Amino acid sequence: MDVDSRKRELVKEFSPMLLRSTKWSKIWIGTLVGFILWGLVAFVIQVVKGHEVTGMRDNVVWGIYIINFIFFVCLSYSGAFISGILHFFKTPWKNSVSRIVEIITVVSLIIGPIFILLCIGRLDRLHYLFLYPRIQSPITWDIIAIITDLIGCFIYLYLTFIPDFAILRDNSKDVPEWRRRLYTFLAIGYRDTPTQRNRLHKITRIMSAMIIALAIVAYTVLAWIFSLTLQPGWNSTIFAPYFIVAGLYSGVGVIIIAMYLIRKYYKLDHYIRKVHFIGAGVILLVISLLFGYFTFSEYFSRWFSHKTHDADLLNTLFNRYFWEFIFANYIGVLVPIVILFFKRFRTIKSITFAAVIAVLGLWLNRYLIVVPTLETPYLPIQDTRPEFIHYSATWIEWALSFAGIAAFVLFFILIMRLVPIIPISGIIDYEREGKGGTHDVTQYQLK
């Protein structure tokens, strides 16, 4: 079978994913839109009435908005790092998961900064951050890092999409005219000639190296927002590598969950195979060991130092957030390790379950970094009213949080309706290079 025939065959195989909508998919998209509309209502109420409708007060000035920001931004950075590694080192099975990772990277980098805007009480003064930035402030550094990373990730994602845009442009017959025109525009004249192919591969490889560097820098700058303060619980020299490991932990977990859902819903068992889950599970195991080590070092040093402010913070954690502490730092770390350490437990469902536990534990870990620390300030609290001392998220904050998650999933689905989730160009390149001398998908995946 020649290359052109193979392209038409693959386009025909993936066309149902791009063009057809089932009853359940419409219900699912409608549910996501409902959550987003619910969030918009909450946003309007917050803008009209101010932050008094949230649980944030003078003492606890950050709540689950900033926690969601950290989670999504770290997710995007980890996705960029993992995607860069897959492309730079030409990992044999990258084509089964690379596009999932790339889409997660860009979508989470769009959703994450939105939660920062929700923390701002005066959105009409947002432009001052850009007109009068203070280069001494780590927050300014973070804004620069996020914008730079967003631009870099968009360029990188677009470069990886170009070959598939060209394939869909040339081989899609029964598609709406607007979709064909869109593919033609986005393909920017790419014809898959040897010269164009080599040039695109070279540019993509360079961009993958840049993305890796940007991810490390961005992780570090985000951690510095906390660690460069004198606040107990934040002022730590290991926060930068701790955030890097935590970001990778959440990133690999979300990737595994996405792999499971996409494999199950779109019937891609012959592309996303058990071997990919085992590989991702082993990576998650290694990262969970590192994350557990950093978490233990962080809390052990505070406990052993017997400093007054550190002791106050630990008392707050153990008294008010005991079960959250247990889930985040014990269940969220030890359960994935136990499941993934033994080979007989490494099934697709058990690996996915371990990833869910890891992601939930990581989110709670971010919560314990932000809220209990702000509830334990240096200066004694004069106001004895509990609502001004302790933080409890309101329905407004939860509505906007779930709206953010729904928007993340909806954007992911919309991008999957634009291009196949398994890169057609990756399969063609693999077969063109003669790996295994066959078009058999099983050999392609198990290389």
Side-chain angles (χ1 to χ4, degrees):
M1 184 183 296
D2 59 23
V3 173
D4 291 337
S5 299
R6 180 60 172 157
K7 287 180 180 178
R8 287 192 293 270
E9 179 184 303
L10 289 171
V11 170
K12 185 178 180 180
E13 178 182 355
F14 289 110
S15 290
M17 294 173 53
L18 304 176
L19 302 175
R20 297 177 187 172
S21 297
T22 64
K23 174 183 176 182
W24 289 110
S25 67
K26 293 178 180 178
I27 293 175
W28 179 235
I29 292 176
T31 303
L32 295 175
V33 172
F35 274 109
I36 295 173
L37 293 176
W38 183 39
L40 288 175
V41 171
F43 176 71
V44 171
I45 294 174
Q46 179 176 303
V47 170
V48 172
K49 296 187 176 181
H51 277 194
E52 67 177 16
V53 299
T54 71
M56 296 181 288
R57 294 295 182 266
D58 291 344
N59 195 50
V60 181
V61 294
W62 285 347
I64 59 174
Y65 291 155
I66 198 71
I67 296 161
N68 293 330
F69 163 73
I70 298 171
F71 181 83
F72 276 106
V73 171
C74 282
L75 179 60
S76 70
Y77 293 158
S78 64
F81 186 86
I82 295 169
S83 179
I85 291 291
L86 290 174
H87 278 277
F88 187 80
F89 292 101
K90 299 180 179 179
T91 308
W93 48 271
K94 70 179 178 64
N95 288 311
S96 295
V97 298
S98 60
R99 183 150 293 167
I100 297 174
V101 179
E102 292 157 2
I103 296 175
I104 287 175
T105 299
V106 174
V107 174
S108 56
L109 197 55
I110 294 173
I111 299 298
I114 293 176
F115 285 103
I116 281 291
L117 301 180
L118 299 178
C119 280
I120 298 176
R122 293 291 300 271
L123 288 174
D124 57 308
R125 299 182 180 181
L126 178 64
H127 58 285
Y128 289 164
L129 288 173
F130 304 95
L131 294 178
Y132 310 107
R134 293 185 68 249
I135 199 62
Q136 306 96 322
S137 171
I139 295 180
T140 301
W141 308 345
D142 195 46
I143 292 172
I144 296 173
I146 289 175
I147 293 175
T148 305
D149 195 56
L150 182 61
I151 295 173
C153 287
F154 262 113
I155 295 174
Y156 178 65
L157 182 69
Y158 178 62
L159 289 174
T160 62
F161 276 19
I162 289 176
D164 275 15
F165 287 144
I167 293 173
L168 293 169
R169 173 200 62 199
D170 299 333
N171 298 278
S172 298
K173 296 181 179 179
D174 301 325
V175 299
E177 182 63 24
W178 69 266
R179 187 183 282 265
R180 187 179 294 108
R181 290 183 179 180
L182 180 63
Y183 290 143
T184 302
F185 174 76
L186 294 175
I188 57 173
Y190 185 80
R191 295 294 175 184
D192 198 30
T193 64
T195 302
Q196 288 181 331
R197 193 184 314 127
N198 293 333
R199 186 177 298 160
L200 183 61
H201 286 177
K202 185 179 295 185
I203 295 173
T204 305
R205 187 175 172 83
I206 293 172
M207 282 298 301
S208 66
M210 294 176 61
I211 287 295
I212 295 172
L214 281 173
I216 295 175
V217 172
Y219 280 138
T220 304
V221 171
L222 181 61
W224 282 348
I225 291 179
F226 297 89
S227 64
L228 296 183
T229 69
L230 296 178
Q231 182 71 34
W234 292 350
N235 185 225
S236 172
T237 57
I238 69 169
F239 247 41
Y242 189 22
F243 266 55
I244 291 175
V245 172
L248 291 173
Y249 194 44
S250 62
V252 175
V254 172
I255 290 167
I256 292 174
I257 296 170
M259 286 168 55
Y260 178 81
L261 295 175
I262 291 169
R263 178 181 188 267
K264 186 176 181 64
Y265 181 77
Y266 290 105
K267 311 297 183 184
L268 294 175
D269 305 41
H270 54 300
Y271 284 106
I272 305 176
R273 301 170 64 86
K274 184 178 179 180
V275 65
H276 301 119
F277 283 91
I278 293 176
V282 171
I283 296 173
L284 185 64
L285 171 63
V286 174
I287 298 174
S288 63
L289 291 170
L290 288 172
F291 179 71
Y293 167 74
F294 274 102
T295 302
F296 172 79
S297 298
E298 183 71 14
Y299 285 112
F300 178 77
S301 60
R302 292 178 195 164
W303 171 79
F304 193 81
S305 67
H306 293 289
K307 294 179 182 178
T308 302
H309 297 296
D310 285 336
D312 291 341
L313 176 59
L314 292 177
N315 287 333
T316 300
L317 286 170
F318 294 146
N319 293 329
R320 181 170 169 79
Y321 298 98
F322 177 77
W323 291 112
E324 291 89 340
F325 182 85
I326 294 297
F327 190 96
N329 301 311
Y330 287 89
I331 298 176
V333 177
L334 296 179
V335 170
I337 290 176
V338 171
I339 292 175
L340 300 172
F341 186 81
F342 299 99
K343 286 186 177 180
R344 61 180 178 177
F345 292 156
R346 293 177 193 166
T347 64
I348 293 177
K349 290 185 177 180
S350 64
I351 292 173
T352 306
F353 176 75
V356 171
I357 296 296
V359 171
L360 292 176
L362 196 280
W363 190 91
L364 277 177
N365 179 274
R366 307 293 91 176
Y367 188 95
L368 296 179
I369 285 177
V370 174
V371 174
T373 300
L374 292 173
E375 290 181 344
T376 316
Y378 268 128
L379 297 176
I381 302 173
Q382 300 298 325
D383 199 320
T384 58
R385 288 176 292 178
E387 64 270 19
F388 278 80
I389 298 173
H390 301 300
Y391 170 79
S392 180
T394 64
W395 76 267
I396 296 287
E397 294 167 277
W398 287 117
L400 286 166
S401 297
F402 285 115
I405 297 172
F408 173 86
V409 177
L410 183 61
F411 287 156
F412 196 105
I413 292 173
L414 293 178
I415 294 176
M416 286 196 300
R417 297 298 298 269
L418 181 65
V419 290
I421 197 64
I422 305 296
I424 296 177
S425 58
I427 301 175
I428 297 297
D429 288 343
Y430 184 89
E431 296 173 350
R432 183 186 283 122
E433 292 171 6
K435 300 294 177 65
T438 179
H439 295 312
D440 181 62
V441 174
T442 303
Q443 292 191 26
Y444 159 67
Q445 294 300 331
L446 294 181
K447 172 67 179 176

